Amino acid sequence: MADAAGPGTGPGVAGGDGDDSLYPIAVLIDELRNEDVQLRLNSIKKLSTIALALGVERTRTELLPFLTDTIYDEDEVLLALAEQLGSFTGLVGGPDFAHCLLPPLESLATVEETVVRDKAVESLRQISQEHTPVALEAHFVPLVKRLASGDWFTSRTSACGLFSVCYPRASNAVKAEIRQYFRSLCSDDTPMVRRAAASKLGEFAKVLELDSVKSEIVPLFTNLASDEQDSVRLLAVEACVSIAQLLSQDDLEVLVMPTLRQAVEDKSWRVRYMVADKFSELQKAVGPKITLNDLIPAFQNLLKDCEAEVRAAAAHKVKELCENLPIEGRETVIMNQILPYIKELVSDTNQHVKSALASVIMGLSTILGKENTVEHLLPLFLAQLKDECPEVRLNIISNLDCVNEVIGICQLSQSLLPAIVELAEDAKWRVRLAIIEYMPLLAGQLGVEFFDEKLNSLCMAWLVDHVYAIREAATNNLMKLVQKFGIEWAQNTIVPKVLIMANDPNYLHRMTTLFCINALSEACGQEITTKQMLPIVLKMAGDQVANVRFNVAKSLQKIGPILDTDALQEEVKPVLQKLGQDEDMDVKYFAQEAISVVAQRLRKLDFPVKDSGEPSAPGADKNHFLRPREPREDTGKFLPSMSRHKDSDRLGWLPRRQERQPGLGVQPQPRSAPHSTGMPHRSLGPMLSNGTERCL
């Protein structure tokens, strides 16, 4: 196999003595030259194993030179190699021999693929920390110089990421050379190199002496911030944060602020966007005095920028800006200099701007206090609650608790509650869903009396919503409300209304009754479940719709652990056995599963489980309900009994076991997980005229 590498072309080529210790490297060479990329990739990932087999000396003298000479491969193989070499120091003999890893990584740092170069630079930075100061100047710094003066821009861009790791431990003479090389890269003819230098400018400034920052880094920052390429200028804004943290207030005003003011008014929206995106970091770096004098006016300009992307980025920073202002005089600054611009953004023409503002504006209430919130912010909240964009309304709803802490529930109910009720009936189901998810928190804040008066009927109406996701969320909502308000409240207020739905002509609503019983039974306890809920479930076992019947079986399985043994043996088991003989295969299946669970519970309670000697159906054995379900072909038969409903004036057909998901048409459900939504969506024809459909 070694011969596949060619005679004398790599380390460990087997000689006449047949040294078996050379076999691993021969395999590596063979696989590295294989046409299959995956084989080559696998061999690279085994480099550490091969190095261990070879030993540190042969790894240095044979393996690494071979890897250096054969860097010509696919990008994914080179990427794996660059990653492996970063942790190779121990395999070549420790820090004293770390310099042996530099040649292959230097080659990888010059390839065309950016991802490979970045990984090589990352590994080089890691290895540089393992060099002694002497070895660093002898081996690593010359590598940086070679890369920085390379003919191809790829090597020069890679060099930009290495200056900051070698500078701190270099001698003064070498430090001067390093700074000179970095200056040359900042003025390189190739925009890609200048971009790389600008992205590392702040990092490099942090390791320099303060005098060097003022005399060399600041001029470089100024030049890059006025570069002809906007992609270079926007990276200079990011470096401004690091540089500002190093300078005093006086130096900032003289050296940095003129350039920053220029960036705020840059002709490229991407540069202005970067200023807005980094505004909080800039604010912390320059301090409160410069913030009030320079950054507040700059922020005003960003909030009214002609580009929506810039306005949205600035709107996201409104709350952070206000929180970082000096407490003394903060309210005045916000009311006079920030709030007027916020009011304009509430009615902005771009929905992304309004959505960004809605996600943070509620937080201003805790800063401005109750009086200002009621007078100035509440009208803005109401306007956003009625906005045509659903995302704006959702962002306001999601942060109502911030306002409640400040203005109290009475003021909230008078001002925002009517708008919330209106949203609860919104045409878009996602808006209704957001209101439902917020309802338990809102109910806890309102109290039980206020909730019963204002919102109880709304929660019940969601149970008969035409979108399944809303009905499901409403069911979970009831369970959370019972946990919050107690069993007595549930028994008097919720349970009777839920059980009435069992007689609804729409089978989906009857199924919702079962779902509610499943959710409420655990919260309500054994007594209410046995006396009030169980009779309704047992009655529904005779429903004409098979979907309802097999959900009865599932409900009995769910509430079984809550019921006492008498109810299980005398009431539940006979009904399940009857369902186990149902003509519908799905009803049989879920009934058999439920019988198994009930039987196990009775055994645990040491209750005698009767094994009737008489088969329950001709040809059936006494343990028929415990057998696994036989696989069968899904014939896709239609349900004749559903061909016409009481409130239907025409025929409509759907394949069995379907459920409408919100906004997605009809969705097939897997048999073993009836409520799963993991199947692909497809439309399967007309619905019944009353909007009903068959579901698991």
Side-chain angles (χ1 to χ4, degrees), residues 160-200:
C160 295
L162 300 175
F163 288 100
S164 61
V165 294
C166 64
Y167 186 88
R169 293 191 292 157
S171 62
N172 290 335
V174 174
K175 284 182 177 179
E177 291 184 47
I178 292 174
R179 294 197 301 271
Q180 177 59 42
Y181 274 98
F182 191 82
R183 283 199 302 272
S184 66
L185 293 179
C186 288
S187 57
D188 196 274
D189 294 336
T190 308
M192 287 80 80
V193 178
R194 298 200 301 275
R195 276 204 299 271
S199 67
K200 300 298 181 182

Side-chain angles (χ1 to χ4, degrees), residues 396-402 404 412 420 432-445 477:
I396 290 294
I397 294 166
S398 303
N399 294 284
L400 277 177
D401 53 328
C402 299
N404 182 42
L412 181 67
I420 292 174
R432 301 198 299 277
L433 185 62
I435 292 289
I436 296 174
E437 292 172 348
Y438 182 73
M439 192 56 63
L441 177 60
L442 188 62
Q445 296 167 347
N477 174 56

Side-chain angles (χ1 to χ4, degrees), residues 146-159:
R146 289 194 299 273
L147 291 175
S149 56
D151 293 334
W152 291 94
F153 79 90
T154 54
S155 67
R156 301 199 296 275
T157 55
S158 296

Side-chain angles (χ1 to χ4, degrees), residues 571-584:
E571 300 182 66
V572 173
K573 189 175 178 183
V575 170
L576 287 176
Q577 287 176 335
K578 181 179 178 182
L579 291 175
Q581 303 172 34
D582 196 277
E583 61 182 10
D584 187 278

Side-chain angles (χ1 to χ4, degrees), residues 168-273:
R169 293 191 292 157
S171 62
N172 290 335
V174 174
K175 284 182 177 179
E177 291 184 47
I178 292 174
R179 294 197 301 271
Q180 177 59 42
Y181 274 98
F182 191 82
R183 283 199 302 272
S184 66
L185 293 179
C186 288
S187 57
D188 196 274
D189 294 336
T190 308
M192 287 80 80
V193 178
R194 298 200 301 275
R195 276 204 299 271
S199 67
K200 300 298 181 182
L201 182 63
E203 179 185 293
F204 189 46
K206 290 180 180 179
V207 301
L208 262 64
E209 301 79 7
L210 183 59
D211 290 340
S212 298
V213 172
K214 294 179 183 179
S215 61
E216 299 187 41
I217 295 299
V218 170
L220 294 177
F221 162 69
T222 304
N223 292 335
L224 291 171
S226 57
D227 194 274
E228 61 181 10
Q229 297 283 332
D230 63 350
S231 59
V232 177
R233 299 200 300 274
L234 66 87
L235 290 170
V237 173
E238 191 170 348
C240 180
V241 176
S242 300
I243 296 172
Q245 293 171 343
L246 303 173
L247 301 176
S248 65
Q249 290 286 305
D250 294 338
D251 290 334
L252 275 174
E253 187 62 48
V254 175
L255 300 176
V256 175
M257 289 313 298
T259 305
L260 185 56
R261 295 187 195 105
Q262 176 184 329
V264 173
E265 301 174 354
D266 196 278
K267 61 183 179 181
S268 170
W269 71 268
R270 297 205 298 163
V271 178
R272 302 196 302 275
Y273 175 89

Side-chain angles (χ1 to χ4, degrees), residues 284-478:
K284 293 176 182 178
V286 301
K289 182 179 178 181
I290 294 179
T291 295
L292 295 175
N293 295 336
D294 291 280
L295 293 193
I296 294 296
F299 194 70
Q300 293 172 343
N301 291 334
L302 295 172
L303 287 175
K304 61 179 183 179
D305 195 274
C306 60
E307 293 292 340
E309 288 84 354
V310 179
R311 297 198 302 275
H316 264 301
K317 300 296 179 180
V318 165
K319 180 183 175 183
E320 292 182 35
L321 171 77
C322 296
E323 287 176 338
N324 294 332
L325 288 173
I327 297 179
E328 184 180 353
R330 177 168 63 182
E331 183 178 320
T332 304
V333 172
I334 296 173
M335 295 300 297
N336 296 335
Q337 301 186 52
I338 303 296
L339 194 58
Y341 294 89
I342 292 177
K343 291 179 178 178
E344 293 181 11
L345 292 184
V346 169
S347 56
D348 196 275
T349 56
N350 187 281
Q351 70 177 32
H352 299 293
V353 177
K354 293 186 290 185
S355 177
L357 181 64
S359 66
V360 298
I361 190 173
M362 307 290 274
L364 296 181
S365 57
T366 57
I367 300 174
L368 294 178
K370 181 176 180 179
E371 184 177 342
N372 287 326
T373 297
V374 173
E375 183 178 353
H376 298 284
L377 294 182
L378 269 183
L380 303 182
F381 300 159
L382 286 171
Q384 290 183 306
L385 272 174
K386 298 177 181 178
D387 194 273
E388 61 182 8
C389 175
E391 191 174 352
V392 175
R393 301 196 294 264
L394 290 178
N395 286 340
I396 290 294
I397 294 166
S398 303
N399 294 284
L400 277 177
D401 53 328
C402 299
V403 182
N404 182 42
E405 293 175 3
V406 177
I407 67 176
I409 195 61
C410 294
Q411 184 71 46
L412 181 67
S413 63
Q414 293 173 11
S415 56
L416 295 182
L417 199 59
I420 292 174
V421 173
E422 183 180 342
L423 286 175
E425 301 169 350
D426 194 274
K428 293 182 173 60
W429 71 270
R430 293 184 186 275
V431 177
R432 301 198 299 277
L433 185 62
I435 292 289
I436 296 174
E437 292 172 348
Y438 182 73
M439 192 56 63
L441 177 60
L442 188 62
Q445 296 167 347
L446 292 171
V448 62
E449 294 181 4
F450 191 92
F451 179 83
D452 285 342
E453 180 184 351
K454 301 288 186 181
L455 298 175
N456 194 318
S457 59
L458 197 60
C459 291
M460 299 307 300
W462 283 325
L463 291 174
V464 294
D465 195 279
H466 66 277
V467 176
Y468 172 74
I470 300 299
R471 299 196 299 272
E472 183 182 38
T475 302
N476 295 329
N477 174 56
L478 287 184

